[in-house]
Amino acid sequence: MDNIVQSIKKLSFLKFQKRLPEYKRFLFEKVQRSRSKIVGIYGGRGAGKTTLLLQLSKSMDCNLGKMLYVACDHPLMQGVSLFELIEYFYSKGGQVVIIDEIHESEDFERNLKAVYDFLDIKIFFSGSSAIKLTNPDFARRYAMFHLPILSFREFIELETGLKLKSYILNDIIEQHENIVYEILTTLKEYKVLELFDLYLNYGAYPLYFEDRENYLQKLVDTINITLHTDLSSIFQIQADKIDAIKKLLVEICRAKPLEVSIEKLSNLVGLTKATLYKYLDYLQKGELLVLVRHEAKRFKSIRKPDKLYLANPNFFNVLCLNQERGTIRETFFVSQVKHLHTIFYPNRGDFLVDEKYIFEIGGRKKGFGQIKDIENSFVVADDLEIGSGNKIPLWLFGFLY
């Protein structure tokens, strides 16, 4: 074990010396303030989990020699017990261990529980969003934080260097005109609708700011790694089924959210309905897909289809050529709102949020006909810089975090 730890220490030193972005995601301070002995950051590939972990390591008042960075997908970790590794490092005076891609470590849940029960050492770990749901003990024992895609607000900050506030949903609904004026005043010469179009195409992941020219290829790589490495290992998906799952994503990209039935999808991709439901669940856990259920499913089992959305608007650029603007609008809304709020679809209107607000999504000329006389109902309009009354600009929902 001594040789393995020394080798990992060398890699740790190189990792800790890596130059990091100055910009910190909205989650940084929340994680930094956590007093839990073990802190987990979960999310989709490419969201910036590793960068966040390393930024946390630099912010800690701890000697570098007392810290260890462990990349569970590194060949050195093949066949190594995570508990034995941390126990050995702890016995030599180690105080902090940062574990990246923890889902790549065999039996990581049992090993992490043993660390929690027997060792007095601070642990930060990152992993696929799917690990959050594999064991309910995660939520009980550890402080778990979800790192989603970049919000539109964060994208603007990275693109312009400006500092912008986030707003709670209730304030956006009640004070959207004042908030918009505040944002536009801060943006000065920048045009919010131009930035919004850029975000819809390229703004969901920090990868864009690392390598703009190859962003779309990196997006393809992100999807492939999520399927071939994360989901296949966590859920034991057979390699020959991955192509069917990719085809499933493409078909969802091409269709409107309620246009393709489960029966039709099952025939198109060559999967039984039972297997299809299972894979849809995996894709949602891997943050490649979002399922929005009908509001009645909150209370009882009914035969209502789910709305199927790609996890973010950028995926349209790499999964299909024919892009429906209406679907992209709804995809953006869902991707920004679901991180902090519950979301269903009702009989009238497009979305029911927090079991209280009805939102109808459309273009700038969208009217209130479909949600007329519904309490707490709002039109969310694309291509609109400033709203009025119950008509709110779509882009503003990118300022929730």
Side-chain angles (χ1 to χ4, degrees), residues 375-389:
E375 187 179 2
N376 292 320
S377 62
F378 305 86
V379 165
V380 177
D382 193 9
D383 297 321
L384 184 69
E385 192 174 68
I386 303 171
S388 178

Side-chain angles (χ1 to χ4, degrees), residues 257-274:
L258 280 175
E259 192 176 77
V260 181
S261 66
I262 290 296
E263 288 79 5
K264 188 174 181 181
L265 271 179
S266 177
N267 292 329
L268 284 170
V269 301
L271 297 171
T272 66
K273 286 199 290 185

